[in-house]
Amino acid sequence: MTAGARDILVVDDNPADVRLIREVLTQHHAAHRLHTALDGAAALRFLCSERADLVLLDLNLPGIGGHDLLSLIRALPRAGTVPVVVFSSSDAPEDIERAYQNRANSYLTKPGLRDRTHP
Amino acid sequence: MALGQLLFQNAPSGIVLFRPDGIIEDLNPAFCRMLGSNRKDLEERNWWNLMDSQSMEGALSATQQLLDHKPEAVEFEIRLRGRAGERVWCHVAAALVPGEASPVVQAHLTDITSTAEMQRDLLQRLTRLDEQLHEEHVRSAIALRESEERFRGAFEQAPIGMAIADLEGRIMQVNSAFRAILGYSGDEAVQLSWYDLLDPASDSPNLARLLVRTSVPVPSLQTDARFRMRDGAYREVQWNLSPVRDANGVTKCVIGQITDISARKEAERKLRRYAADLDRSNRDLQDFAYVASHDLQEPLRMVKSYLELLSRRYASQLDDDAREFIGYAADGASRMQHLVAGLLAYSRAGAGSGNRRGVDSKASLDAALANLHMAIRETGAEVTHGPMPVVEADALQLTQLLQNLISNAIKFRSADPPRVHVAAGEKEGGWEFRVRDNGIGLDPRFAQRAFQIFQRLHSPARYPGAGIGLAVCKRIVERHGGEIRVESAPGEGAEFIFSLPAAGGGE
């Protein structure tokens, strides 16, 4: 594979989840660069000034909520097309539906990741 | 001469003695000099007539004060008229002459014209300066208004629709393009808010609400939105929102821009419809080709089988002509079988190209050479290759592609044993493969035809085949998002060049 290391923005205010994501992602590709935003404002600031190849987005965020943040990301003039994977502990159908309405690229539930990494 | 008289006559300041009714009792030479007149002229004049009217007022009131309250002295300034009409500005210190039965005022005058003129000049200058400042103010006010007007002009005449809205989303001002796009008059527009205009079924109203939150640190947002026009229909626009913030970062108002993209959207929809139609028709065609070739095989097999049975069992009862006819018929059926088999192969080619992953092209080449080992051995062909990359492809189809091209190179060999070289190099983010041979080559004029299905550039007697191989190659390459072409000249060998995406470069 010639695919290079990617810039991944993790938007999550839970340090334990951020740590877990870092472990899992770097296990598959050590060179990925992980950037962390603890809230929506920080995520928007990052996306307005830096480059991200992927956004991993928690829905349960302080301040601007995850769904609103996704709407805002999709309306950013330059970064609006960045792939966004919603990564939430919620498996409520209305959350999933709303995320896809806001053009999320994928929706993962957090226990799912834990199950895969710690069978 | 008394000392008093001496002082009076020689005083450097002008002295004049006058009665309250203005009759001059006495005056000294200095006073005469001040006004440039002689004593005789001045004695006949009335004191009050010597000064201008503005001075008289102050002089009268000061004199009155002197008479009423008898202070030691009073001071005031007057402007006297000189003989030539010039003004003489004087400081006056006045007192009553003591011991007179009826009051006599003695006034000591100091010429302050130069000082006064300096003052007046200063005053004038100050006034002028003040006027200039005032003009400056007026000018800058005009400039401000002009720049405001220029801004307003730029806003009003901007080729994209613009609206300024407050933080509640209420429209405060719109420009002509905005009015033209949506059909509202300016007065109608300012009755509306974003939320009246936006399609409530979309996410756009939410976006406007989110933007005005001061905590959202974005310079602008952009989305495709549907705006309700005056006639109630919706128009598709690109909507840009920019908050206007003051120095403290507090959002004051929001500027919205709208660009009519209904034509673009319509074109996109048409294109999508067209692509879907094309896709469907392609699928139909493929299904048809597959079904037809599949179903055609069956009756064809029947025809061929019974022709063989006929010739075998009844050969002795048939004359030479009949046997010849049957031979032609069987040959035709055979060729038809090849064509149908080719059509089937062609319709299958690329059908499964969705099964793409990173494939080592060296492995595919090895598989192709293994399939061709008989032909290679029989013809003494030598197939060499350079470094082979990992590409994004369907492994089986890549094998078939290389196999067809190498088999082609061996088939169209010259008198010399075939020499085939496969090379690959990076090009434009993908890979370019070159399969070069030393065969008979082909006329570049027929290069395009070589890739068409059932097209043959040579007689089937010399080079058997259904004309399928290169068509299949083209189809495989194109299904992988690449291109194929041939570079050749008769007798010069041929080089087939095709491109494939690099691994990891796909969606």
Side-chain angles (χ1 to χ4, degrees):
Chain A
M1 290 291 284
T2 55
R6 310 284 175 155
D7 286 283
I8 300 171
L9 175 65
V10 180
V11 191
D12 202 320
D13 66 323
N14 183 346
D17 280 332
V18 173
R19 180 65 202 267
L20 187 64
I21 291 165
R22 182 182 294 278
E23 289 297 320
V24 172
L25 286 177
T26 50
Q27 183 185 325
H28 289 296
H29 204 314
H32 286 325
R33 290 173 293 271
L34 250 66
H35 311 269
T36 315
L38 294 178
D39 60 24
L44 289 169
R45 265 195 297 274
F46 182 90
L47 291 171
C48 284
S49 56
E50 318 252 336
R51 180 200 139 84
D53 297 302
L54 176 73
V55 177
L56 273 179
L57 176 64
D58 185 20
L59 289 181
N60 185 19
L61 289 172
I64 308 165
H67 287 301
D68 282 343
L69 181 56
L70 183 51
S71 299
L72 286 167
I73 289 173
R74 287 297 178 236
L76 292 178
R78 210 170 44 86
T81 54
V82 63
V84 176
V85 174
V86 173
F87 185 52
S88 166
S89 50
S90 160
D91 59 358
E94 55 268 27
D95 274 335
I96 298 172
E97 193 181 332
R98 195 162 161 211
Y100 282 116
Q101 263 172 9
N102 282 333
R103 287 174 287 155
N105 295 76
S106 186
Y107 192 108
L108 297 178
T109 49
K110 280 183 179 173
L113 185 86
R114 288 199 186 98
D115 287 347
R116 275 219 315 260
T117 51
H118 303 291
Chain B
M1 200 185 274
L3 184 63
Q5 190 61 26
L6 204 65
L7 285 172
F8 180 75
Q9 291 297 333
N10 294 293
S13 54
I15 300 170
V16 68
L17 304 179
F18 65 90
R19 292 185 181 281
D21 58 4
I23 292 177
I24 293 173
E25 294 283 316
D26 204 352
L27 46 79
N28 73 345
F31 184 71
C32 295
R33 284 196 299 276
M34 280 168 72
L35 298 184
S37 294
N38 59 47
R39 181 180 180 90
K40 202 170 173 316
D41 284 347
L42 289 170
E43 271 177 342
E44 288 170 2
R45 306 274 301 270
N46 186 294
W47 160 250
W48 302 116
N49 286 337
L50 290 175
M51 62 195 72
D52 65 14
S53 53
Q54 287 151 308
S55 303
M56 204 199 293
E57 216 173 299
L60 274 173
S61 85
T63 306
Q64 195 60 50
Q65 205 188 350
L66 199 62
L67 294 172
D68 291 350
H69 305 290
K70 301 192 172 48
E72 238 171 76
V74 292
E75 291 182 41
F76 54 94
E77 282 176 14
I78 53 171
R79 277 183 305 243
L80 300 175
R81 265 190 227 100
R83 192 181 171 189
E86 81 277 12
R87 279 192 186 160
V88 183
W89 203 299
C90 298
H91 176 265
V92 182
L96 286 172
V97 178
E100 296 284 329
S102 57
V104 175
V105 180
Q106 53 170 324
H108 295 248
L109 294 89
T110 318
D111 187 344
I112 55 162
T113 306
S114 54
T115 322
E117 266 176 357
M118 222 147 70
Q119 272 183 353
R120 197 184 51 211
D121 184 50
L122 209 62
L123 202 71
Q124 272 174 357
R125 280 195 212 203
L126 274 170
T127 313
R128 248 201 322 275
L129 212 61
D130 194 47
E131 279 167 3
Q132 277 174 357
L133 270 171
H134 179 70
E135 271 173 41
E136 226 19 68
H137 268 119
V138 170
R139 247 203 304 279
S140 57
I142 291 171
L144 197 68
R145 204 175 57 221
E146 279 174 352
S147 94
E148 175 103 0
E149 272 163 12
R150 261 202 297 277
F151 160 75
R152 207 173 312 219
F155 176 83
E156 177 63 20
Q157 302 304 324
I160 44 177
M162 293 176 87
I164 300 174
D166 68 12
L167 299 189
E168 305 298 318
R170 285 186 296 257
I171 308 279
M172 300 191 291
Q173 205 181 338
V174 298
N175 73 348
S176 63
F178 189 97
R179 296 191 291 272
I181 291 171
L182 297 178
Y184 298 101
S185 73
D187 289 343
E188 286 165 338
V190 296
Q191 309 282 322
L192 301 167
S193 77
W194 293 132
Y195 311 113
D196 298 319
L197 289 168
L198 289 162
D199 181 1
S202 73
D203 189 46
S204 309
N206 190 35
L207 212 56
R209 280 187 204 99
L210 287 172
L211 185 76
V212 297
R213 283 203 207 167
T214 50
S215 56
V216 176
V218 293
S220 72
L221 293 176
Q222 172 187 312
T223 189
D224 290 354
R226 283 156 50 83
F227 272 65
R228 194 166 53 82
M229 295 192 290
R230 190 174 185 278
D231 62 11
Y234 281 97
R235 172 151 279 180
E236 277 158 310
V237 300
Q238 188 181 70
W239 186 36
N240 284 62
L241 273 177
S242 307
V244 178
R245 298 193 170 107
D246 66 10
N248 300 320
V250 176
T251 307
K252 290 295 180 191
C253 61
V254 176
I255 296 183
Q257 298 180 345
I258 59 171
T259 320
D260 185 357
I261 53 164
S262 42
R264 191 189 86 194
K265 283 280 177 184
E266 183 53 34
E268 274 177 14
R269 266 192 296 275
K270 256 189 201 146
L271 203 63
R272 259 201 304 276
R273 261 202 309 274
Y274 179 68
D277 285 351
L278 199 66
D279 194 46
R280 196 169 36 250
S281 107
N282 262 345
R283 230 181 7 253
D284 288 351
L285 198 66
Q286 197 169 323
D287 289 351
F288 168 77
Y290 182 80
V291 169
S293 48
H294 198 265
D295 291 357
L296 279 172
Q297 276 186 320
E298 192 52 33
L300 205 53
R301 201 171 50 77
M302 196 81 77
V303 170
K304 208 181 164 211
S305 308
Y306 279 91
L307 278 174
E308 278 170 13
L309 197 62
L310 202 62
S311 64
R312 233 188 2 250
R313 191 177 294 177
Y314 300 100
S316 57
Q317 299 170 38
L318 297 172
D319 59 15
D320 286 350
D321 271 357
R323 275 195 296 275
E324 196 186 338
F325 296 166
I326 288 174
Y328 284 135
D331 187 45
S334 278
R335 272 190 290 128
M336 179 103 180
Q337 248 184 337
H338 278 113
L339 288 175
V340 168
L343 191 60
L344 198 60
Y346 180 77
S347 74
R348 279 178 186 151
S353 58
N355 186 24
R356 274 193 249 165
R357 55 194 168 78
V359 167
D360 183 359
S361 57
K362 170 74 166 63
S364 296
L365 179 63
D366 288 345
L369 295 180
N371 293 340
L372 291 170
H373 83 274
M374 283 288 288
I376 290 171
R377 208 171 53 195
E378 281 169 10
T379 58
E382 192 182 349
V383 182
T384 55
H385 64 84
M388 301 292 282
V390 174
V391 294
E392 186 87 358
D394 178 292
L396 283 175
Q397 292 187 17
L398 181 57
T399 299
Q400 190 178 10
L401 173 60
L402 290 167
Q403 184 177 323
N404 283 9
L405 290 176
I406 294 165
S407 145
N408 220 54
I410 293 171
K411 183 165 150 190
F412 296 102
R413 63 185 177 273
S414 60
D416 301 326
R419 295 282 175 271
V420 186
H421 184 75
V422 183
E426 265 182 287
K427 194 176 182 193
E428 289 160 15
W431 291 95
E432 188 176 76
F433 288 78
R434 291 174 170 263
V435 180
R436 169 152 195 85
D437 64 49
N438 62 340
I440 57 171
L442 61 99
D443 191 325
R445 281 180 299 161
F446 303 131
Q448 276 308 307
R449 267 178 59 191
F451 294 105
Q452 287 170 16
I453 189 167
F454 300 139
Q455 280 294 335
R456 310 176 46 90
L457 302 183
H458 304 279
S459 81
R462 271 192 72 187
Y463 297 101
I468 292 288
L470 288 179
V472 167
C473 290
K474 181 171 156 69
R475 199 169 159 95
I476 290 174
V477 170
E478 286 177 353
R479 284 298 177 100
H480 282 79
E483 282 173 8
I484 189 167
R485 66 179 199 279
V486 61
E487 287 175 4
S488 180
E492 300 278 307
E495 186 168 35
F496 285 86
I497 300 141
F498 65 90
S499 55
L500 286 178
E507 287 101 273

